[in-house]
Each structure stands twice: as C-alpha cells, then as structure tokens.
Amino acid sequence: MSLLFRRPTLTRLLLLKNIKQNQRSTIYSKPPKEKIGPVQSTFALCVFAVTLLAPAGWIMHHIPEYRRQGQNTST
C-alpha cells in the first residue's frame, strides 16, 4: 500500500528533473548580440506599467457608478 503512495511522488520527481534539465539547455553564456538602448527600455517599462495600471485605474474610476448600480438592484 505504501508503494502506491510513493509512486506518484517518484514520477513527479522524475518529471521535475526532466523539466529542470530542459530549462538549463536554453541558458546562454554569451553576451547579447544587440544591446537594448535606453529608449527601448523606457518604452518597454511604460507599456508594462500601462498594461498593469490601466485596468485598475478604470475600476477605481468607476467605483461610485458600481456602488449606485448595486444599491439600485438590491432594493
């Protein structure tokens, strides 16, 4: 019976081991071929910030409207 409980963990460990070996094969030790400039870095950071903050800002801007709709439907 204990063999049945140990078996899934053994296969899970083997699977994780294979995944780790595959991840190591994609790591390169050479410097990048093209350098990323400050303009590209700034643009990428701005796009990242907008994609994270825009939905939150939209929701926060419309909270009073959501509250009014919730009060009308509960009565």
Side-chain angles (χ1 to χ4, degrees), residues 12-65:
R12 193 176 305 139
L13 288 174
L14 290 173
L15 180 65
L16 289 174
K17 186 177 179 182
N18 287 337
I19 290 172
K20 285 182 183 179
Q21 286 177 351
N22 289 341
Q23 286 178 347
R24 288 182 186 159
S25 64
T26 59
I27 298 175
Y28 300 104
S29 62
K30 297 178 183 178
K33 293 179 181 178
E34 297 178 16
K35 290 187 176 182
I36 298 174
V39 174
Q40 291 172 330
S41 297
T42 305
F43 176 75
L45 287 174
C46 288
V47 168
F48 185 71
V50 166
T51 57
L52 287 177
L53 298 176
W58 176 268
I59 292 169
M60 291 184 71
H61 178 72
H62 289 89
I63 283 178
E65 184 180 327

Side-chain angles (χ1 to χ4, degrees), residues 61-72:
H61 178 72
H62 289 89
I63 283 178
E65 184 180 327
Y66 298 147
R67 285 184 180 166
R68 275 184 258 133
Q69 287 177 354
Q71 290 173 352
N72 292 339

